[in-house]
Amino acid sequence: MRRTPRPLVAGNWKMHGLKSSLKQVRTIAASLAKTAPACDVMICPPATLLRPMKDVAKASKLKLGGQDCHASSQGAHTGDVSAEMLKDAGAAAVIVGHSERREDHREMNVDVRAKAAAAHRAGLMAIICVGETLKQRKAGAALRVVGHQLKGSLPSTATDKNTVIAYEPVWAIGTGLTPTVDDVAEVHTYIRKRLQALLLDGSPERVRLLYGGSVKPANAAELLVTKNVDGALVGGASLDAKDFLPIVRACR
Ligand code: 13P
């Protein structure tokens, strides 16, 4: 039997959140302090909120992450944030290669790999996102696309401890659509298998594989018990404690 790694439920706030949103984090942190969750819990706010969120989350086990980083540690890159800066602001992880970055900023696998390596250099866990479009799924190319992204985006520095893979089908993000649990299991099992050849250090069995795309309180339980699913990357439903907490509690 595969030894299941401790699950991770992470919230990706995307470009949402002002100081006033910290009250959601206060509620989440208080709940986690009261009853320990069965998974690691993380929020990835916009970079502007990392430091104040760190102060709010301090007494709890809530972890924080960034949503993107530059591949360099510093330099003349107006508007960018380095992995070292995210770490300095209180992050333990950073999402790289989210489909919105791949789409909005034309990020390619080679860029994602450099960003993941930068995360490792800074001592951050890299949450590397992969996922097919609807057109690709309909063409029967989902596994091929995901395999290609995984191979191209995983740096040689990846281990089971410093790397998490998030499978996020592009067509399921923010649409209310989700793949069947059988489809999720198929892709996750494929990713696990590919990691056997791609991961140079650590155990592929212990790499956490998150599912992301329209995860809600209503579907979290069945997704989280799906084969080879070790947690969730949650967008919209992570913005409000009353939606995010039931997802965290669905982890058993
Ligand atoms: P939604 O949960 O809003 O579909 O977003 C998923 C996502 O992109 C998380 O990174």
Side-chain angles (χ1 to χ4, degrees):
M1 266 283 275
R2 181 170 77 81
R3 183 185 165 281
T4 310
R6 182 170 166 82
L8 167 67
V9 172
N12 174 8
W13 277 23
K14 309 190 178 183
M15 202 171 74
H16 297 282
L18 301 171
K19 263 188 307 197
S20 56
S21 320
L22 292 172
K23 63 176 182 293
Q24 300 299 333
V25 181
R26 238 170 249 121
T27 306
I28 292 164
S31 168
L32 299 183
K34 203 163 148 218
T35 314
C39 57
D40 290 341
V41 184
M42 179 182 289
I43 293 182
C44 303
T48 48
L49 280 182
L50 272 174
R51 177 49 64 189
M53 201 175 275
K54 185 74 183 169
D55 293 338
V56 170
K58 211 163 32 199
S60 77
K61 290 219 165 112
L62 181 66
K63 293 182 167 64
L64 302 183
Q67 299 177 8
D68 174 55
C69 65
H70 195 278
S72 300
S73 56
Q74 57 181 17
H77 304 290
T78 303
D80 278 317
V81 176
S82 73
E84 281 77 1
M85 290 167 181
L86 295 173
K87 170 115 176 167
D88 190 48
V94 59
I95 299 169
V96 293
H98 192 282
S99 60
E100 288 152 13
R101 299 284 319 173
R102 291 180 188 261
E103 170 84 20
D104 295 356
H105 300 272
R106 302 275 175 271
E107 288 185 9
M108 311 300 284
N109 291 331
V110 62
D111 306 309
V112 178
R113 183 169 52 200
K115 288 173 181 223
H120 296 155
R121 179 191 67 218
L124 296 181
M125 190 171 78
I127 302 175
I128 301 174
C129 300
V130 295
E132 82 286 357
T133 62
L134 190 57
K135 195 169 161 209
Q136 290 164 334
R137 173 154 286 269
K138 283 187 169 158
L143 295 184
R144 190 168 54 72
V145 168
V146 165
H148 184 72
Q149 288 177 336
L150 188 67
K151 186 169 192 278
S153 306
L154 197 76
S156 59
T157 46
T159 71
D160 53 21
K161 291 191 185 59
N162 68 15
T163 302
V164 169
I165 308 296
Y167 168 56
E168 299 205 310
V170 178
W171 52 274
I173 295 175
T175 58
L177 302 172
T178 49
T180 65
V181 288
D182 287 348
D183 286 343
V184 173
E186 183 188 33
V187 178
H188 279 232
T189 301
Y190 175 73
I191 292 173
R192 179 90 59 208
K193 204 168 133 231
R194 289 299 308 266
L195 284 173
Q196 280 167 11
L198 295 173
L199 195 75
L200 301 180
D201 188 6
S203 161
E205 302 295 313
R206 284 199 220 112
V207 176
R208 290 182 285 191
L209 308 184
L210 313 187
Y211 168 77
S214 297
V215 178
K216 308 281 177 217
N219 61 16
E222 67 167 353
L223 286 164
L224 287 167
V225 297
T226 299
K227 186 159 186 268
N228 279 315
V229 173
D230 309 304
L233 185 54
V234 186
S238 70
L239 293 170
D240 195 322
K242 78 173 178 348
D243 294 323
F244 190 56
L245 281 170
I247 296 174
V248 168
R249 298 298 174 196
C251 225
R252 287 165 203 288

